[in-house]
Amino acid sequence: SQQGEEDPQALSIQEGENATMNCSYKTSINNLQWYRQNSGRGLVHLILIRSNEREKHSGRLRVTLDTSKKSSSLLITASRAADTASYFCATDRTGANNLFFGTGTRLTVIP
Amino acid sequence: EAGVAQSPRYKIIEKRQSVAFWCNPISGHATLYWYQQILGQGPKLLIQFQNNGVVDDSQLPKDRFSAERLKGVDSTLKIQPAKLEDSAVYLCASSLPLDPQETQYFGPGTRLLVL
C-alpha cells in the first residue's frame, strides 16, 4: 500500500493565488520529499525536508513537516499556469533513498 | 547533462505476451530504480539497484517480472506473461550516491497497455 496520502486529491485555483497541499504518512521517516509530475512526463524533484527540520523554503515553495502528526504541507505562493501538474510527497523510511510515494494532488492553475 | 532515457515510450500488447523495457540512467548514477505507476496513483517501487546489485526487490512480482542491470549501467525490466492489471506507466529513475538532496531523476516512462 502507499505510504503517504495527499489531500486534497484535486485543487483548482486562479493564477496568483496560493496553493496548499497536505501529505500524511504512517511510519517513522528519515526524510520527506515533494515531486511534481506534468501530464505524460516523469517526476521532477522539488524539495527535501529531513525529519529533524520543521520548515524549508525554495523559491515560491514552502514545505513544513510535523513528525508528531506525521504530516507535511507544500505551499506554492503566487501560482502560475505553469504550476499545473500533479504533486506527490514521498517518504524515505529506510535511509536508502527507497521512496514511498503518496497518491498525489492534481493542481490546476487557471490563467 | 542528458537525462534518464527510456524506450519504448508506448507499448500495446495482448495478455499473456511478454514485453521488455529499457532504461539508460544519467552517467555516473550508481543507483537505478524501476517504478510502476497505475493511472491515478503514485509511483510504486518495483526494484532498486546499486551498481549491478539488487538493493530492494520486495515489491517486484517475481513470478512474472524480472529486471537486470548486468554492467551496472543500462537496465531492462521484463514482464512475462503480462496481465491486464500490468497496464501502467513504468518509470525508471537514477540517483547519485551521497547526494545530500537524495534527488531521484526520472525518465519520461514507458506507457504499457495490456489488452
Side-chain angles (χ1 to χ4, degrees):
Chain A
S1 63
Q2 302 281 10
Q3 162 73 342
E5 296 287 336
E6 278 91 337
D7 167 56
Q9 289 187 338
L11 178 62
S12 184
I13 59 174
Q14 295 287 332
E15 199 166 31
E17 294 181 338
N18 297 340
T20 300
M21 289 158 268
N22 303 296
C23 167
S24 60
Y25 57 91
K26 298 175 184 176
T27 62
S28 297
I29 61 171
N30 289 289
N31 65 60
L32 185 145
Q33 305 182 34
W34 285 90
Y35 282 78
R36 183 187 73 221
Q37 185 176 36
N38 289 83
S39 180
R41 304 277 186 89
L43 284 81
V44 175
H45 180 264
L46 295 176
I47 195 166
L48 174 148
I49 186 165
R50 300 197 182 279
S51 58
N52 62 352
E53 298 176 307
R54 292 297 168 258
E55 188 170 312
K56 204 162 183 181
H57 297 254
S58 177
R60 294 184 297 112
L61 305 180
R62 183 173 80 101
V63 170
T64 62
L65 179 63
D66 187 335
T67 53
S68 66
K69 295 181 179 179
K70 292 186 170 56
S71 67
S72 174
S73 67
L74 171 67
L75 169 68
I76 304 174
T77 60
S79 64
R80 305 167 181 168
D83 295 329
T84 294
S86 291
Y87 291 82
F88 295 90
C89 68
T91 54
D92 176 7
R93 298 181 299 184
T94 65
N97 206 15
N98 183 332
L99 297 180
F100 290 81
F101 284 85
T103 52
T105 292
R106 183 182 302 275
L107 173 67
T108 302
V109 181
I110 303 167
Chain B
E1 107 190 317
V4 175
Q6 289 188 249
S7 68
R9 290 297 310 277
Y10 304 93
K11 190 75 178 178
I12 301 174
I13 62 173
E14 295 187 349
K15 60 183 179 183
R16 291 189 288 274
Q17 286 186 324
S18 58
V19 63
F21 312 127
W22 174 82
C23 173
N24 179 236
I26 294 173
S27 177
H29 283 198
T31 310
L32 184 146
Y33 316 80
W34 282 102
Y35 290 89
Q36 179 193 59
Q37 185 176 23
I38 293 172
L39 186 64
Q41 298 183 18
K44 183 185 82 171
L45 179 70
L46 293 174
I47 189 167
Q48 178 182 354
F49 291 95
Q50 180 78 16
N51 295 307
N52 60 351
V54 175
V55 174
D56 186 342
D57 64 356
S58 58
Q59 297 186 89
L60 187 73
K62 299 180 186 63
D63 58 333
R64 298 185 300 106
F65 286 65
S66 64
E68 59 183 14
R69 194 184 184 198
L70 292 175
K71 297 183 178 179
V73 181
D74 294 3
S75 176
T76 55
L77 175 70
K78 297 179 182 178
I79 308 175
Q80 183 179 10
K83 292 185 176 181
L84 297 178
E85 59 261 36
D86 298 331
S87 293
V89 176
Y90 291 84
L91 296 164
C92 178
S94 67
S95 67
L96 277 168
L98 304 179
D99 175 359
Q101 288 303 304
E102 300 181 41
T103 300
Q104 293 189 20
Y105 296 85
F106 283 80
T110 295
R111 189 174 298 272
L112 173 68
L113 179 60
V114 182
L115 302 176

